[in-house]
Amino acid sequence: MEVGQMQRQWLDYTRSLFIEGFLDGQFLQLEQLQDDNNPDFVVEVVSLFFQDSHKLLNDLTIALDQKSVDFKKIDAHVHQLKGSSSSIGAQRVKNCCIAFRNFCEEQNTDACLKCLHQVKQECCLVKNKLETLFRLEQQIMAAGGSIPMMELSF
Amino acid sequence: MWFKAPESCNCIEPQLPADELLVKYQYISDFFIALAYFSIPLELIYFVKKSAVFPYRWVLVQFGAFIVLCGATHLINLWTFTIHTRTVAMVMTAAKVLTAVVSCITALMLVHIIPDLLSVKTRELFLKNKAAELDREMGLIRTQEETGRHVRMLTHEIRSTLDRHTILKTTLIELGRTLALEECALWMPTRTGLELQLAYTLRQQNPVGYTVPIHLPVINQVFSSNRAVKISPNCPVARLRPHTGKYMPGEVVAVRVPLLNLSNFQIYDWPEVSTRSYALMVLMLPSDSARQWHVHELELVEVVADQVAVALSHAAILEESMRARNMLMEQNVALDLARREAETAIHARNDFLAVMNHEMRTPMHAIIALSSLLQETELTAEQRLMVETILKSSNLLATLINDVLDLSQLEDGSLQLETTTFSLHAVFREVLSLIKPVASVKKLSLTLHLASDLPAYAVGDDKRLMQTILNVVGNAVKFSKEGSISISAVVAKPDSFKDARIPEFHPVPSDSHFYLRVQVKDSGSGINPQDIPKLFTKFAQSQAVTTKGPAGSGLGLAICRRFVNLMEGHIWIESEGIGKGCTVTFIVRLGIPDRSNESKLAFAPKVLGNHVTTNFGGLKVLVMDDNGVNRSVTKGLLLHLGCDVTTAGSSEECLRIISPEHRMVFMDVCTGLDGYELAIRIQEKFKKRQDRPLIVALTGNTNKVTKENCMRVGMDGLILKPVSVDKMRGVLSELLEHRVLFEAI
């Protein structure tokens, strides 16, 4: 497959991610921050996010497993997760977190559990999507091409 | 005679007086014998002393003794003729005994010595023979050396010149001198190769044109061997002068001289080529001299003949190269002249065109403008028709003039393509929009197909490309009365270039260029395949066009071809025949715009961003956020803008590492009261306000309470998350300028 085709594939895939709501404008901001001084910025930040989120989700799972649920702590964790996800532009994760927080305020354990499950799913999904995207980028770079910039308006 | 003495008288009785004469003669003879006997050894001794090489001294001594004793004997004999005493007898006896002994010894010695002496003689003879032989050999060597010297001298003379005439003349002269010849002649083959002509002679100044046929047996004999051959003085080649001598004409020798034949000169065949031509060199010894050709003289002649051949070949090559050089120089001069004439012609034509361009266009414009204006006025139907015809014709004429001028520009290569980055799709869309009205009027269906792998943007001359496509499509429309026209554009693959139809086209693949292949198919009147080559010729009209059909200026396709060639491409037409439609295909080379070009046109101006970051070069800032991801993102943002960023993951860490060098502190205040506390602590740390870094809060909360709290604790700014690059840039500029920034919530 030649470079032009791969680039078009990358563009189409990225577009789909935005259209389906996996990513939002913040992700584009991240891409803008990637330059020659910082060539792997996006990959680094995204990896950091997934590490962080993994830990947070574990903590959340443990916390919600307790007999007496500490909603303050859960709220703090979810707040963290929300902050991180919004920083990288993982829109669906962020939305889930917002919903999660509401249920935390209501102190609704079952709903929280459901939310947690959903958040985990969303994290997984966005992780796969981003991994695919990064793989495509690597292929393009290996073939000697360069990553095209995304248009901001659609 | 021995007489015994009677008593002590030792006298011997004398003889009868009749024998006295006899006795006297004996006496005298004995005396002389003794004398001789005594003198011979003396002589021997004298001469031996003189010679000093005589090896047999001992023998001489013996001989001497023998002779002396013999002499003594004979001497003593003198006393025995008279009465002699006993003593004398005793002495005589003693002497005789001695003599006997010595002579026996000598006789015995001689047996050994005489063979030696004889052998000395034989050795002497042997040495004499040897000396004679050496003398002979030396004589031979000397002659050889002489010959060698002569050859060298001859060679030197012959090779010292490159002029053929001089070479040959010199050869003959030198040979004549060296060998003391009576006559020396050189026969060269004639042009026809069937005869030998007398070319040079030694003695005669101007040889009359003697010729001999080349196939004489004697000549064949000479030519067949590379040795000098003795020939009869009566053969035609040798009968050069009238026989002047009284007796025998001198011996004649002939040798062949190989000639270089330039038309079949082969370096690697030298000297074995069999179809060579030879010249004949004839040498005559003086008549009546009884001289004979010696072997060394023949060898000399052969060597000289070879040298002459070499020298002649050099001379021939030189002549040839001089001739070639002269020819080239003449050609050069002629070409130069032709070039200058051509240039003058081109200049003249260009001048003419330039003048005509201006002169022709001005009236044309006047006609077109005024006719258009006339059209706007009130006219009768008849007048309108007339004006329309005038306008149409003058438009046509203007087009023709433009075409001619374009073509002449194209022809003398003064047209240069402009290169810009343009959208391929746009070009095709525009062509389509221009042609659609005409096509729909003629009820022709027009379809455009652009391949999906066609680059959106290309680098090249879009105007001329459009002109070409328009021309081709326009032709298709013009010459089709019904049916459909399809236009297709694809990226040409390298294997499609191996088309038999375009044998001279050799595309060069590269990473920064691609080949665009456009094909326009129509179902119109078609073209006779025989007329196809003429289509691209200027001003040639195809006869197949019906009289009612539209007339073309005949230049369109020629111009298209010029444009296509300038774009390093190729254009060709195919048609099955009259009424079977026509397909025009062309391939052009366009550039692929690189990333910076692309971004310049359509996408986010990333390039611009890079220019402004230098404003914040090295601005020291501290980022405090306990969320690792957020921290990384903010850090990346500020790094991108050129700041020197330090990060802290907690308030304590922040307080630890903060220093007066930090101009700004960005802290996240989403996590409760920590941020406010930190702000207060920072302010406490830095007594003077000037040293203190600006404290800016980053928050996602959009309630007014957050803002009030920030203001209350004395923070210098508040920014809402999410922060984009541009926003941060603006924030930093604002903060640096005004030292305070509170975003409106």
Side-chain angles (χ1 to χ4, degrees):
Chain A
M1 204 194 303
E2 34 122 43
V3 180
Q5 231 172 328
M6 284 200 276
Q7 284 174 331
R8 266 187 290 278
Q9 208 181 28
W10 185 92
L11 269 173
D12 289 347
Y13 192 75
T14 317
R15 271 212 181 90
S16 71
L17 289 179
F18 282 97
I19 290 168
E20 287 164 27
F22 282 105
L23 301 173
D24 65 3
Q26 182 59 23
F27 189 78
L28 288 173
Q29 288 292 323
L30 286 187
E31 280 195 288
Q32 277 201 318
L33 298 181
Q34 187 162 294
D35 58 359
D36 291 348
N37 296 334
N38 225 342
D40 297 323
F41 181 68
V42 179
V43 178
E44 279 167 8
V45 171
V46 167
S47 317
L48 195 57
F49 167 72
F50 285 123
Q51 277 171 5
D52 243 9
S53 61
H54 185 75
K55 198 165 91 56
L56 278 170
L57 288 169
N58 281 346
D59 290 349
L60 278 168
T61 316
I62 292 168
L64 276 172
D65 227 10
Q66 304 295 326
K67 288 237 173 54
S68 62
V69 180
D70 187 357
F71 282 103
K72 265 215 165 58
K73 204 156 76 150
I74 290 176
D75 186 41
H77 284 320
V78 177
H79 180 80
Q80 283 275 350
L81 191 59
K82 175 174 146 235
S84 314
S85 58
S86 72
S87 283
I88 70 157
Q91 197 178 49
R92 277 156 78 140
V93 177
K94 183 182 79 174
N95 292 339
C96 267
C97 288
I98 294 171
F100 200 153
R101 276 191 97 191
N102 290 339
F103 290 129
C104 264
E105 274 180 327
E106 291 171 11
Q107 305 214 347
N108 188 339
T109 314
D110 286 349
C112 283
L113 274 168
K114 263 206 220 109
C115 263
L116 176 63
H117 188 71
Q118 209 175 359
V119 166
K120 275 191 184 162
Q121 252 188 331
E122 288 302 330
C123 269
C124 239
L125 272 171
V126 81
K127 184 165 175 195
N128 286 341
K129 296 280 183 187
L130 283 173
E131 272 171 10
T132 312
L133 193 71
F134 291 144
R135 221 195 346 270
L136 269 175
E137 280 182 12
Q138 271 178 331
Q139 279 176 344
I140 291 175
M141 300 296 274
S146 55
I147 318 293
M149 295 298 282
M150 283 297 301
E151 270 183 298
L152 288 174
S153 56
F154 41 75
Chain B
M1 291 188 275
W2 298 89
F3 287 107
K4 201 136 190 223
E7 287 154 77
S8 57
C9 180
N10 289 339
C11 313
I12 297 178
E13 297 257 333
Q15 302 202 329
L16 296 169
D19 298 314
E20 219 174 273
L21 206 62
L22 280 170
V23 169
K24 225 184 216 160
Y25 281 130
Q26 276 190 359
Y27 192 84
I28 295 168
S29 315
D30 270 331
F31 176 72
F32 275 110
I33 288 170
L35 199 62
Y37 271 138
F38 282 134
S39 58
I40 287 173
L42 288 175
E43 284 171 8
L44 273 173
I45 289 166
Y46 175 71
F47 283 113
V48 164
K49 271 223 160 71
K50 272 255 168 143
S51 80
V53 284
F54 197 72
Y56 298 108
R57 285 218 172 149
W58 176 241
V59 174
L60 274 175
V61 166
Q62 269 182 322
F63 242 62
F66 168 63
I67 291 172
V68 161
L69 284 170
C70 271
T73 315
H74 279 282
L75 191 66
I76 294 168
N77 228 9
L78 290 173
W79 271 268
T80 56
F81 283 111
T82 55
I83 299 176
H84 49 278
T85 57
R86 197 186 171 80
T87 325
V88 171
M90 290 278 290
V91 167
M92 184 73 189
T93 316
K96 277 202 173 153
V97 166
L98 260 174
T99 309
V101 166
V102 170
S103 31
C104 283
I105 292 175
T106 310
L108 282 168
M109 284 243 99
L110 276 175
V111 173
H112 296 285
I113 286 169
I114 286 180
D116 268 349
L117 285 175
L118 284 176
S119 80
V120 164
K121 252 326 193 182
T122 27
R123 249 182 273 148
E124 193 190 312
L125 209 63
F126 173 72
L127 283 170
K128 261 213 196 107
N129 285 343
K130 257 281 183 248
E133 212 177 287
L134 281 169
D135 263 337
R136 270 200 302 279
E137 270 179 25
M138 236 207 12
L140 255 157
I141 289 172
R142 246 192 246 123
T143 7
Q144 273 177 356
E145 200 227 332
E146 277 269 319
T147 314
R149 205 159 43 78
H150 280 294
V151 169
R152 272 196 300 279
M153 186 260 301
L154 267 163
T155 312
H156 175 75
E157 288 298 321
I158 290 168
R159 300 281 288 270
S160 67
T161 168
L162 279 173
D163 173 36
R164 166 192 283 256
H165 188 76
T166 321
I167 290 171
L168 292 169
K169 256 296 195 232
T170 315
T171 311
L172 296 181
I173 292 170
E174 291 300 324
L175 266 178
R177 208 155 46 93
T178 310
L179 298 171
L181 300 170
E182 176 182 358
E183 180 62 271
C184 191
L186 190 72
W187 298 78
M188 301 282 272
T190 56
R191 240 172 242 293
T192 57
L194 295 172
E195 293 181 324
L196 283 179
Q197 189 179 31
L198 184 60
Y200 302 92
T201 56
L202 185 57
R203 309 282 173 207
Q204 298 170 10
Q205 289 303 17
N206 297 315
V208 183
Y210 283 122
T211 51
V212 264
I214 207 170
H215 290 298
L216 290 179
V218 61
I219 296 177
N220 281 337
Q221 187 198 4
V222 176
F223 279 178
S224 61
S225 132
N226 63 353
R227 316 292 315 268
V229 176
K230 291 205 186 106
I231 61 175
S232 153
N234 291 323
C235 73
V237 287
R239 252 185 293 149
L240 295 172
R241 302 152 59 101
H243 183 50
T244 48
K246 269 199 277 186
Y247 299 107
M248 293 282 291
E251 287 199 345
V252 180
V253 143
V255 69
R256 73 175 189 189
V257 180
L259 291 178
L260 182 63
N261 205 346
L262 270 170
S263 61
N264 57 6
F265 179 49
Q266 299 283 342
I267 295 177
Y268 301 108
D269 276 352
W270 180 285
E272 302 308 328
V273 179
S274 56
T275 56
R276 268 143 119 255
S277 59
Y278 300 102
L280 190 73
M281 193 152 63
V282 176
L283 306 129
M284 287 176 250
L285 288 178
S287 36
D288 303 335
S289 67
R291 254 181 70 187
Q292 288 207 323
W293 281 100
H294 297 204
V295 171
H296 70 268
E297 286 170 346
L298 291 177
E299 281 173 2
L300 177 78
V301 166
E302 282 156 23
V303 168
V304 167
D306 274 337
Q307 288 299 321
V308 168
V310 170
L312 282 177
S313 66
H314 287 181
I317 291 171
L318 180 70
E319 266 174 39
E320 183 65 27
S321 73
M322 292 291 289
R323 205 170 49 81
R325 190 182 73 111
N326 287 339
M327 216 168 63
L328 280 171
M329 271 174 48
E330 277 170 30
Q331 276 180 352
N332 233 9
V333 168
L335 280 169
D336 208 28
L337 190 65
R339 185 179 59 87
R340 269 183 278 128
E341 277 174 13
E343 271 178 16
T344 328
I346 289 176
H347 282 311
R349 186 199 63 179
N350 287 349
D351 288 340
F352 169 76
L353 281 175
V355 165
M356 290 311 286
N357 174 14
H358 182 71
E359 300 303 321
M360 285 202 290
R361 280 204 173 136
T362 320
M364 274 320 302
H365 286 156
I367 295 172
I368 293 172
L370 292 172
S371 313
S372 319
L373 282 176
L374 199 56
Q375 251 188 344
E376 307 293 320
T377 62
E378 284 279 329
L379 297 166
T380 67
E382 211 182 301
Q383 283 174 325
R384 191 163 288 278
L385 203 61
M386 286 192 241
V387 171
E388 271 174 13
T389 315
I390 292 171
L391 207 51
K392 247 194 251 172
S393 311
S394 32
N395 271 329
L396 209 61
L397 195 59
T399 317
L400 183 66
I401 293 171
N402 284 338
D403 277 354
V404 167
L405 285 159
D406 259 351
L407 196 62
S408 61
Q409 261 193 321
L410 277 172
E411 288 224 290
D412 63 2
S414 62
L415 186 83
Q416 281 180 335
L417 292 179
E418 294 157 21
T419 341
T420 52
T421 314
F422 60 93
S423 159
L424 271 175
H425 292 241
V427 166
F428 283 101
R429 273 200 298 271
E430 200 165 321
V431 167
L432 219 59
S433 62
L434 285 171
I435 287 290
K436 251 203 175 43
V438 184
S440 58
V441 161
K442 288 181 99 171
K443 300 223 177 3
L444 299 163
S445 80
L446 202 56
T447 51
L448 170 67
H449 172 71
L450 299 174
S452 53
D453 62 350
L454 211 60
Y457 289 84
V459 178
D461 190 336
D462 56 334
K463 286 199 203 33
R464 303 270 167 40
L465 180 66
M466 182 145 67
Q467 203 173 337
T468 311
I469 304 173
L470 201 55
N471 201 310
V472 170
V473 176
N475 276 349
V477 168
K478 220 190 314 182
F479 291 102
S480 303
K481 287 198 222 137
E482 60 188 359
S484 65
I485 295 169
S486 85
I487 310 167
S488 81
V490 299
V491 173
K493 298 286 176 294
D495 33 309
S496 69
F497 291 149
K498 297 191 190 90
D499 225 320
R501 288 169 291 198
I502 39 172
E504 322 88 33
F505 187 48
H506 300 294
V508 175
S510 96
D511 278 339
S512 57
H513 289 88
F514 72 99
Y515 285 89
L516 173 72
R517 183 192 165 105
V518 176
Q519 195 167 59
V520 178
K521 262 204 221 6
D522 71 60
S523 57
S525 46
I527 302 166
N528 193 335
Q530 288 164 339
D531 287 337
I532 288 180
K534 288 189 236 153
L535 282 168
F536 288 106
T537 324
K538 311 185 281 194
F539 308 118
Q541 289 272 29
S542 86
Q543 307 302 325
V545 176
T546 60
T547 48
K548 283 218 181 108
S553 65
L555 280 179
L557 279 176
I559 292 181
C560 284
R561 172 187 259 182
R562 293 294 189 287
F563 284 150
V564 167
N565 285 343
L566 274 174
M567 291 191 233
E568 295 172 56
H570 196 83
I571 180 170
W572 67 95
I573 299 182
E574 289 157 305
S575 174
E576 315 239 323
I578 308 287
K580 295 209 178 88
C582 171
T583 309
V584 179
T585 322
F586 69 86
I587 300 182
V588 289
R589 191 168 184 246
L590 296 170
I592 298 173
D594 57 8
R595 221 182 139 189
S596 61
N597 279 344
E598 270 184 49
S599 58
K600 230 185 280 174
L601 295 164
F603 297 122
K606 185 172 151 67
V607 182
L608 278 172
N610 284 331
H611 290 312
V612 193
T613 48
T614 51
N615 285 350
F616 303 117
L619 179 71
K620 264 183 139 0
V621 296
L622 178 64
V623 171
M624 203 292 284
D625 195 327
D626 58 353
N627 184 320
V629 178
N630 294 348
R631 201 167 54 235
S632 300
V633 174
T634 315
K635 178 177 174 184
L637 186 58
L638 290 164
L639 275 176
H640 184 75
L641 291 172
C643 301
D644 182 3
V645 184
T646 336
T647 54
S650 66
S651 309
E652 294 84 52
E653 199 185 340
C654 180
L655 281 167
R656 245 201 331 235
I657 62 178
I658 195 163
S659 76
E661 286 178 334
H662 293 110
R663 301 307 321 130
M664 288 186 210
V665 177
F666 289 92
M667 62 174 71
D668 177 70
V669 294
C670 293
T671 53
L673 298 162
D674 235 2
Y676 305 128
E677 183 82 348
L678 181 59
I680 296 167
R681 298 267 279 283
I682 292 172
Q683 286 177 70
E684 283 171 5
K685 192 158 176 187
F686 294 90
K687 295 295 177 220
K688 291 191 222 153
R689 217 197 122 88
Q690 299 89 286
D691 296 340
R692 188 165 63 85
L694 297 170
I695 305 171
V696 181
L698 286 168
T699 180
N701 283 339
T702 53
N703 53 9
K704 286 200 165 52
V705 177
T706 319
K707 187 170 175 184
E708 278 162 19
N709 287 341
C710 290
M711 285 173 141
R712 195 166 40 80
V713 295
M715 291 200 184
D716 301 297
L718 172 92
I719 314 174
L720 289 174
K721 288 203 279 193
V723 191
S724 70
V725 180
D726 296 337
K727 185 165 168 181
M728 184 57 94
R729 196 181 292 122
V731 161
L732 287 172
S733 314
E734 183 81 358
L735 282 168
L736 285 171
E737 205 178 343
H738 298 126
R739 301 188 66 81
V740 75
L741 170 67
F742 280 94
E743 200 169 343
I745 293 181

